[in-house]
Amino acid sequence: MALLQTVRLEHLPHSHEIHIALYRDITNASFLQQQLLDGNTNFEYALIDAGVIVSKIHALAAAYRAVNDLLQNRLRSRNVHSEIVFSLSPNNNIAESFRRFGITTSTTSLLIIKVSTPSSPASASEVQAHLTSSIEGEQVPFEDSVLAKMTDVPRVKKIYKLNSSGGGGGGAKRSGQVDGGRMEGLSINGMGMRTEDERKELENLVLGAMALRGVTN
């Protein structure tokens, strides 16, 4: 099975394919971050700390929003890849979104997204070859079961302002109350998601917080 996934999202043109790779045990995060800071065009990727990604849908929702904004000529950041990182954010602070969701020197689990466009085409084989030569770490499947082991749930809840209630160990529940982008009543085990219900619950709340960005900010 190919570890690099190529996705064509519904309602987006086939000319804008999305290539996605997931890595763990990264040892050269500092080098990769520096390539972004230096504006190295060979590293035009969305480099996302996988610890803040809840699911495949979470990542793909950000990619969809960014590509759609590209097509509508309304990018707010430098390019479609930085826009993917920004699209994960629950607020409109671009610099903060890079700090919270982008690669850092301490990143060990890394989600990489590459958008192929007519003006800058990239095939799956080209992307995979470049990542293989550039990433020091183990490539793993881009699957919910793998992401669930990487997700830092307390960190995600803090970023998206999801309040806990009822303490740990009791699964997940939600009151459904939304107050200015703040969602109350989530109770999820503190150090990770142990059940599919917990993952879906957190995913739904995170997607809601992302969607509220344009309404409340």
Side-chain angles (χ1 to χ4, degrees):
M1 180 182 68
L3 295 178
L4 180 78
Q5 287 194 22
T6 298
V7 178
R8 290 178 174 177
L9 293 176
E10 190 174 359
H11 305 305
L12 293 180
H14 287 180
S15 57
H16 290 67
E17 288 185 330
I18 298 171
H19 305 296
I20 307 173
L22 183 62
Y23 285 82
R24 66 185 176 195
D25 300 328
I26 295 291
T27 59
N28 66 333
S30 295
F31 165 79
L32 297 172
Q33 183 190 46
Q34 192 60 49
Q35 304 317 299
L36 295 184
L37 295 175
D38 290 345
N40 187 340
T41 56
N42 291 325
F43 285 82
E44 284 194 355
Y45 300 100
L47 299 182
I48 301 165
D49 191 317
V52 294
I53 299 299
V54 173
S55 65
K56 293 175 64 175
I57 291 178
H58 183 196
L60 292 173
Y64 175 87
R65 181 169 186 168
V67 174
N68 189 59
D69 284 349
L70 170 68
L71 294 170
Q72 298 298 325
N73 294 313
R74 58 188 187 202
L75 292 182
R76 298 182 56 183
S77 60
R78 184 170 59 183
N79 56 48
V80 68
H81 298 103
S82 58
E83 196 76 11
I84 292 172
V85 179
F86 176 47
S87 294
L88 290 164
S89 179
N91 62 53
N92 283 316
N93 189 320
I94 296 175
E96 183 179 271
S97 71
F98 295 157
R99 291 193 299 270
R100 289 179 166 180
F101 298 98
I103 188 173
T104 70
T105 56
S106 61
T107 294
T108 57
S109 299
L110 184 64
L111 180 65
I112 303 171
I113 302 179
K114 175 71 173 181
V115 180
S116 177
T117 67
S119 62
S120 184
S123 69
S125 60
E126 290 170 337
V127 172
Q128 184 62 75
H130 185 245
L131 294 180
T132 298
S133 66
S134 304
I135 308 296
E136 296 176 5
E138 179 187 359
Q139 190 170 2
V140 293
F142 175 57
E143 298 293 345
D144 286 337
S145 59
V146 180
L147 285 167
K149 297 175 183 177
M150 300 176 175
T151 306
D152 184 340
V153 174
R155 184 175 164 198
V156 170
K157 290 164 66 178
K158 181 178 180 181
I159 289 173
Y160 287 101
K161 297 183 171 66
L162 305 178
N163 277 0
S164 297
S165 66
K173 58 183 178 181
R174 177 179 52 168
S175 70
Q177 179 182 354
V178 179
D179 180 13
R182 193 178 190 83
M183 300 187 181
E184 310 290 346
L186 176 70
S187 176
I188 290 182
N189 297 319
M191 295 310 294
M193 297 172 287
R194 293 199 287 266
T195 71
E196 176 66 9
D197 286 345
E198 288 177 334
R199 186 191 64 77
K200 290 298 295 183
E201 186 75 14
L202 186 56
E203 174 186 274
N204 288 338
L205 293 178
V206 164
L207 292 175
M210 289 167 60
L212 280 170
R213 188 184 80 188
V215 176
T216 60
N217 292 282

